[in-house]
């Protein structure tokens, strides 16, 4: 008997689901009954669901194959976990049958935490009526992954009128951008 576990989602964000494909293969010379896979769920992941309930049934953290696994055949199912914290999680399974010794395998998924920080400061703290004032808004990517569709929403005081802006990106890897808004 051979068991493999493949991460279908090797890298996800906190709060997303991660999926593993578990495959049990009969590599022996006799048919196997009572084939099972026992999940050893790490902290930070919680069981959500599994696919292929027509071929597998679940009792606790153990999944049982509903049929005899014939010589040369394989059976698989996909197990789904919710993620709650960031980190790299090694997810192990133990598989066996009524005719074989237990086999163990594992796979990993990395859960990354997004993060963003923003700062706004006046570049011209004192101006007279009718003069332009400038503000520097700096946005930092403080998380563990690239962010997309980042936007800054400016709420203008009633006494200011928008004039112009410039954008500078200091490095995609660093994830630091600045926006200068002129009123």
């Amino acid at each position: 008997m051979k068991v493999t576990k493949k991460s279908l989602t090797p890298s996800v964000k906190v709060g997303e689901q991660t999926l593993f494909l578990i495959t049990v293969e009969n590599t022996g010379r006799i048919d196997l009954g009572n084939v099972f896979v026992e999940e050893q769920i790490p902290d930070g992941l919680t069981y959500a669901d599994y696919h292929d309930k027509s071929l597998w049934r679940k009792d606790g953290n153990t999944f049982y194959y509903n049929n005899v696994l014939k010589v040369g055949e394989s059976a698989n199912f996909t197990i789904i976990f919710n993620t709650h914290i960031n980190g790299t999680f090694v997810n192990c399974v133990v598989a066996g049958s009524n005719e074989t010794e237990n086999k163990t395998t594992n796979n990993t998924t990395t859960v990354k935490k997004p993060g963003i920080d923003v700062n706004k400061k006046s570049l011209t703290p004192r101006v007279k009526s009718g003069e332009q004032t400038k503000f520097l808004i700096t946005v930092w990517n403080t998380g563990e992954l690239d962010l997309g569709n980042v936007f800054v929403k400016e709420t203008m005081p009633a006494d200011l009128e928008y004039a112009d802006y410039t954008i500078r990106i200091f490095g995609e890897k660093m994830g630091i951008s600045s926006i200068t808004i002129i009123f």
Side-chain angles (χ1 to χ4, degrees):
M1 172 186 269
K2 177 182 175 185
V3 61
T4 58
K5 185 168 196 173
K6 178 183 179 185
S7 178
L8 301 177
T9 52
S11 183
V12 297
K13 291 186 270 186
V14 172
E16 291 182 340
Q17 291 186 322
T18 185
L19 291 80
F20 294 93
L21 176 66
I22 300 168
T23 305
V24 178
E25 181 181 0
N26 184 347
T27 58
R29 296 182 182 166
I30 59 172
D31 295 343
L32 303 177
N34 300 318
V35 174
F36 70 90
V37 174
E38 180 184 329
E39 269 293 335
Q40 298 173 354
I41 304 169
D43 291 340
L45 301 180
T46 55
Y47 170 80
D49 200 3
Y50 75 103
H51 295 299
D52 212 344
K53 293 178 176 87
S54 65
L55 294 177
W56 295 85
R57 70 185 184 282
K58 179 181 181 297
D59 184 11
N61 286 342
T62 305
F63 298 81
Y64 297 93
Y65 186 56
N66 292 331
N67 302 314
V68 171
L69 191 60
K70 304 237 181 242
V71 173
E73 289 184 345
S74 63
N76 62 55
F77 65 97
T78 301
I79 189 164
I80 305 161
F81 295 98
N82 294 320
T83 63
H84 303 286
I85 58 175
N86 59 314
T88 299
F89 299 97
V90 178
N91 186 240
C92 299
V93 294
V94 176
S97 74
N98 62 338
E99 299 289 340
T100 62
E101 293 181 13
N102 291 351
K103 303 291 182 181
T104 302
T105 190
N106 63 59
N107 206 314
T108 60
T109 191
T110 301
V111 180
K112 296 182 178 183
K113 182 179 178 183
I116 193 166
D117 195 11
V118 65
N119 181 37
K120 180 180 179 180
K121 79 174 192 179
S122 175
L123 298 177
T124 51
R126 292 191 175 161
V127 294
K128 295 178 184 169
S129 181
E131 293 180 336
Q132 289 187 331
T133 184
K134 293 182 181 181
F135 295 93
L136 177 65
I137 301 171
T138 306
V139 179
W140 292 273
N141 180 350
T142 59
E144 300 170 324
L145 56 129
D146 293 339
L147 300 174
N149 300 318
V150 176
F151 65 92
V152 174
K153 181 178 179 182
E154 173 65 42
T155 305
M156 289 190 294
D159 296 344
L160 295 180
E161 182 180 310
Y162 169 77
D164 197 8
Y165 74 96
T166 59
I167 296 177
R168 292 187 319 206
I169 298 176
F170 295 105
E172 290 182 36
K173 294 288 184 196
M174 293 174 24
I176 301 172
S177 300
S178 73
I179 302 169
T180 304
I181 298 178
I182 304 167
F183 295 99

